[in-house]
Each structure stands twice: as structure tokens, then as C-alpha cells.
Amino acid sequence: MTEAIKPESWRFCVAPMLDWTDRWCRHFHRLLTRRARLYTEMIAAPALLYGDRRRLLGYEQGVNPCALQLGGSDPKLLAKCARWGEEAGYDEINLNCGCPSEKVQSGSFGAVLMLRPALVADCVRAMQDAVSVPVTVKHRIGVDRSVSYEFVRDFVGTLYEAGVRVFIVHARAAWLQGLSPKENRDVPPLDRGLAARLKEDFPQAVIVVNGGLRTLEECRSELQRFDGVMVGREAYNNPWLLSRVDEVLWDSRPSGISRTDVIREMADYIAGVQEEEPLAARTAANHLMGIAQGLAGARAWRRELTSPESWRRLRAREIILSAWRHVADPGVRS
């Protein structure tokens, strides 16, 4: 039986982003915010069946609330993967119905599934039968250049009847032909107003809006008409934004943590990563680049952090702390 849905749990989410929101990134983001809901990268269901499941799931204690996003269209396989995700400790299983890449289309999942709502309903019912955590769907407002509110309303309605209660709406259409996945994040027009109509027609559903959000002030404004907001690239490229999420959107007390505190903790953490997976440490460290955005010395920090010469000569902890010396952190405590 699915757990009761608490809308506040989706008040602020960090979007699933391929090659970005891996387990090292999630560890980093959790140091900055205790309340934000984090998501894995999209993981294809067949990869979990045939690949290194333990590594792909990559769950670590202490990063909750955290959701596993799956890609696929086989109800039985998705149910099995959802069960593995719940066993690994994830708080939510999310089905991707928004990715527009050709590779994903050829596998019959992602945004192309919006054209097959009955199949998606079968998938989510199978997943719900397999787990007790919420099964949610992330989708677009349309497919290709034809955007119709009736289309997305009927898609959501079909899944609502199947038991889905949380919908993460990327407020752009997915153009399946002629645009790259990167272009699909910017070129199709953004229409959060259309997405907001879903809340009017499905008042009992949790509607989370995604697309184009840059500031916490903008997020707070959108929370007047949505249950939650999801931020992607800005949360990754400017991660210090996350340090104010709990205070601004949940009225929590300021954490008092400084960037330097976070860097020191991540230096120790990545040193541990390097012990277990030597080749992974550099990838884990790349997630830190944006934390100096807007500060004096940010360019020197990024240059040294990513220097091939540094990674040939030094250990991860030394590289990170040495690079950070370039940055004038206004929040550092003496």
C-alpha cells in the first residue's frame, strides 16, 4: 500500500539530470539543504536488470528525502526495479515521461510515452503494487510542436485514475524531431500558466512545476499556484543557492554553514571516494565547481580543481583544499 502523500515533501526539488545528479552530487547537495528533495539521474530499467545494480542505485544513507527516477515501458520490469529502489532506501520512485532524446525514444520510454497514456497507466499500477513508497511521474506539457492543454490534461487524468498523485510538470513541450536534448531545455516555449491549470482541474494532486526557475524568490512566487517547484541547472551550476532553501521556503533557522565548511567536508568525503574508486574522485570533485560562483578567485578555483597536472601529482583532498585557497569566502568563520 502506498504511503500517504504529504504535499510539503515536494515543496522544493532538485531535478534529475543525466551525468550530473549522481551519488556524489547528491551527497554534496545534502550538505547544503536538509529539506530539498533530491533525485537520481534517470536510470534505464534494463540497465538495472543486466548491469551492476548496486553501483547504479548508488544509494547512501543520510541523503533522504531522495527519489529514484526510472526510464522504461515494461510494467513487469519497472515493478521489479521499483522494488529494488525501495529496498535500497529511496523515498519515491519516479517514472520519466519527459526525456526527448532519440536514444530514449528508441527504447520506448521518456517523452514518447505521453503518446501512450494507457501503457503508462499499466506501468504505474504495476509499480504501485510492488512498493509502498509514492510512485510519481515527470512529464512535459506536450509532445512536438502541437501543445494543447486538453492533451496534457487527459494524460494526467488517465494516470490520476491509475492512482498517481504526484506530477512533476516540465512546462515545455518535448520536440521529438529536430532538437537535441539540450535544445529541448530552452527552445520550446515555457508555459507555466498552462501547467498551473492542472492544479485547478486536479486539486487533490500534488503538482510540481519544473522549467526555467533561477531564484528562490521566483520559486516562492510559483508556490502560490503550485505545490512544489523543481530546479535543475541553476541548482547544479550555482549550488550555494541550495544553502538558503530551508530558510527561505520552509522558514527554518539559517544553517550558519559556510562554503569553506562544505568544501572541507567534501574534501574528506572525496578522499574516501578516491580510496574506493580512484578514477571516480575527479568526477566527484567536478560537482564542486559552481560553489564559488560570484566570488573573487572563482576562476582560479575552477582552473586548479580541474587541472590535469594537479590530478597527476596530488591526492583529491590536497587538490580541493589547495584550489580553495584562491577563494575569498565571505561566510568563512575565523
Side-chain angles (χ1 to χ4, degrees), residues 108-282:
S108 296
F109 54 92
V112 72
L113 282 178
M114 291 193 71
L115 302 173
R116 304 181 67 186
L119 173 59
V120 180
D122 289 341
C123 290
V124 297
R125 276 191 288 260
M127 296 162 75
Q128 288 168 339
D129 288 344
V131 300
S132 61
V133 297
V135 174
T136 68
V137 174
K138 187 173 189 292
H139 61 92
R140 298 280 186 136
I141 58 172
V143 177
D144 292 322
R145 297 170 193 267
S146 176
V147 178
S148 148
Y149 175 68
E150 289 71 26
F151 172 80
V152 69
R153 179 201 62 199
D154 291 349
F155 177 78
V156 168
T158 298
L159 301 189
Y160 190 88
E161 290 179 2
V164 179
R165 291 297 179 268
V166 180
F167 298 87
I168 301 167
V169 188
H170 187 161
R172 300 182 193 271
W175 293 1
L176 302 182
Q177 302 295 328
L179 291 183
S180 68
K182 181 179 184 299
E183 291 169 327
N184 258 287
R185 293 192 293 266
D186 295 300
V187 175
L190 186 67
D191 192 344
R192 296 194 204 121
L194 187 151
R197 293 174 63 185
L198 291 169
K199 185 61 186 177
E200 299 173 5
D201 283 349
F202 301 94
Q204 301 305 311
V206 175
I207 306 295
V208 180
V209 69
N210 172 224
L213 295 166
R214 296 283 187 270
T215 68
L216 295 185
E217 289 67 30
E218 190 176 14
C219 290
R220 186 162 51 186
S221 176
E222 289 294 1
L223 287 170
Q224 301 301 309
R225 56 180 180 169
F226 294 98
D227 298 292
V229 293
M230 175 175 275
V231 177
R233 283 170 290 169
E234 190 65 21
Y236 187 88
N237 293 325
N238 179 23
W240 192 243
L241 172 89
L242 300 179
S243 70
R244 296 182 58 239
V245 163
D246 300 358
E247 176 186 356
V248 174
L249 300 185
W250 273 278
D251 296 324
S252 298
R253 295 179 62 181
S255 68
I257 196 170
S258 71
R259 287 176 173 88
T260 297
D261 295 330
V262 173
I263 288 298
R264 287 171 178 161
E265 289 200 42
M266 284 301 295
D268 290 338
Y269 170 73
I270 294 173
V273 171
Q274 192 168 43
E275 290 298 318
E276 295 182 8
E277 300 182 66
L279 297 179
R282 189 170 176 179

Side-chain angles (χ1 to χ4, degrees), residues 27-29 50 66-67 75 84 86 90 92 116 142 152 158-159 170 181 196 202 219 228 235 262 288 297 310 321 328:
H27 182 94
F28 172 42
H29 285 173
Y50 298 112
C66 190
W84 289 332
E86 182 177 34
Y90 289 99
E92 168 193 345
R116 304 181 67 186
V152 69
T158 298
L159 301 189
H170 187 161
F202 301 94
C219 290
V262 173
L288 306 179
S310 294
L321 295 180

